[in-house]
Amino acid sequence: MDNLIPIVNKLQDAFTSLGVHMQLDLPQIAVVGGQSAGKSSVLENFVGKDFLPRGSGIVTRRPLILQLIHGVTEYGEFLHCKGKKFLNFDEIRKEIEDETDRVTGSNKGISNIPINLRVYSPHVLNLTLIDLPGLTKVAIGDQPVDIEQQIKQMIFQFIRKETCLILAVTPANTDLANSDALKLAKEVDPQGVRTIGVITKLDLMDEGTDARDILENKLLPLRRGYIGVVNRSQKDIEGRKDIHQALAAERKFFLSHSSYRHMADRLGTPYLQRVLNQQLTNHIRDTLPGLRDKLQKQMLTLEKEVEEFKHFQPGDASIKTKAMLQMIQQLQSDFERTIEGSGSALVNTNELSGGAKINRIFHERLRFEIVKMACDEKELRREISFAIRNIHGIRVGLFTPDMAFEAIVKRQIALLKEPVIKCVDLVVQELSVVVRMCTAKMGRYPRLREETERIITTHVRQREHSCKEQILLLIDFELAYMNTNHEDFIGFANAQNKSENANKTGTRQLGNQVIRKGHMVIQNLGIMKGGSRPYWFVLTSESISWYKDEDEKEKKFMLPLDGLKLRDIEQGFMSMSRRVTFALFSPDGRNVYKDYKQLELSCETVEDVESWKASFLRAGVYPEKQETQENGDEEGQEIMKNFKKCTANNAIFVFLHCII
């Protein structure tokens, strides 16, 4: 029975390496819990090493299948780096972070494609655990607004299976009735048959309170009970306190505590590890008959197909039809996988493609194109002035006429048609690329491939025409009626007050959150001064900082973003650099960095530059054409403020319908 867990590990590796959906419900243990519940500390205590990424927000952004194997030597091995032994566990942490970023990006995105890590050590028992992302309530970075629901769906993919044990981690300093882990477990395991409770942070409970009733399984009973552990504090982790010392301190805590002394032998990390090993082994033994039956049925099906191929006749029409249907089904599967971005281990690590590129078109390219469509404000103010006078005629106007406002704003809203139609064209172009890529497997049958591409492309073109008609109709809806009663509309009475208050307080809606990190080159600094070399940039909603390297240990400079604008830099005829450059500058002519009027930044590709520009837009740094002219009459200024607000609202409205 000791070989049961390694055998299941091999099955898990086989399914993951093939990049196919796991058709067998393999026995496993899934670790669930809220953020900062102590899941990572529990797993690190099992191994006896610090090897999991830590930080604020969502750190675990992909499922981590952790296979602990008892061995003589101590090292780690990843399935995607098979054959490479990681003796340094700090390198394991970095590889987990890098492999996560390769699929999800570096700005807090999530993915359900697992990472397989195998750890050999003389200090562990044979055990397989799946570390899942902690539940979060608020989206940050590039996360969608429904991030909580997406994480729940990912967790349910694992814990909904009857063969999966649930390790529900709950901190003791919160009410057990409010436990996120137990709530999720209750939904799929209402009788508590598959759930194992783990109570962390027992040492942080208020003085005079304890978790004795919970650990004795009296409060919210589970069939498999609760086990209490004491992990290292944040101070211990930052001070690199040895885990073996922490385990000794944990043992001392339980033996010396009056409420836990009588059950000390049934508490602590070593006991938890032994229990999980025994529970998983017993669970595999119980589910083995059903698993064997499924394997036998699948094997009989495959043997039947092999027998058919033994008597294969090239002219048999049924065989041809079956082969064609299989290729079409494979095409459908590949197309869905490319667009949805899940279920394949062969992930493109060189460039964005498929659904990820379409996502970028909607969330970065469209927004930037809308901001770039800014018109000449001096000319617009002149038009506003003429419109107001022509509507008043011989009369002297007391108030700004609504007709003048609508006439000017409608002309500007109509400009939305070009960027959103361009967005549709870019999506159709990417879909065509995906279709050609997915039909490559039909290369042996040129006519079938050509006909398949023709049918799909024709359907896409038909939907493109329908989509463009709907978008233009939506813009016409927006042009038909101006809702100046909307709560977001800046009325003439308080427009100036809002503008002045915003300038005085300098408030931003984003707060000082990190928007983007990445490498860029500062072009306009001399080589002797450390320029023309890549730096690690960290863009927040209030400033941009750059460091010597991505470890962020040596900060070179921090530049506040208030009042800054963006402009493109054209490469000179004599320039040898092929990099794409843009600049940050201050419209009032002040120096932005030491003696430099502008900070010239460059990337290797146009896509990288556009992506950075979109990130700067989120931080409130707009292109040069967005600069507001101070001259002009007060009525023109009022209409300009309301025009910008109205245009932004209509742009967002059309944008949301584009996505739908």
Side-chain angles (χ1 to χ4, degrees), residues 54 99 110 133 159 166-167 184 186 239 287 293 333 385 598 651:
R54 291 183 178 275
E99 179 63 17
I110 65 171
I159 67 175
I166 306 169
L167 192 67
L184 290 176
K186 195 75 173 176
T287 57
D293 291 343
S333 176
S385 177
Q598 64 182 21

Side-chain angles (χ1 to χ4, degrees), residues 73-78 81-89 91-92 117-118 120:
T73 58
E74 192 172 48
Y75 64 92
E77 186 179 49
F78 287 94
C81 301
K82 202 161 188 179
K84 181 180 179 181
K85 295 183 178 180
F86 291 80
L87 301 176
N88 188 339
F89 280 76
E91 294 180 3
I92 292 179
L117 170 62
R118 184 174 292 176
Y120 297 83

Side-chain angles (χ1 to χ4, degrees), residues 145-156:
V145 292
D146 61 339
I147 183 67
E148 180 182 6
Q149 192 61 33
Q150 288 192 22
I151 293 177
K152 283 185 178 180
Q153 291 177 358
M154 183 192 302
I155 294 174
F156 282 142

Side-chain angles (χ1 to χ4, degrees), residues 312 314 319-320 322-324 326-328 439-453:
F312 173 73
I319 297 295
K320 292 180 179 180
K322 183 177 180 180
M324 185 181 70
Q326 286 177 344
M327 283 187 286
I328 293 175
T439 55
K441 294 182 180 179
M442 298 181 177
R444 292 179 298 171
Y445 309 99
R447 291 184 59 186
L448 175 62
R449 180 180 182 180
E450 180 182 351
E451 187 65 16
T452 302
E453 289 183 358

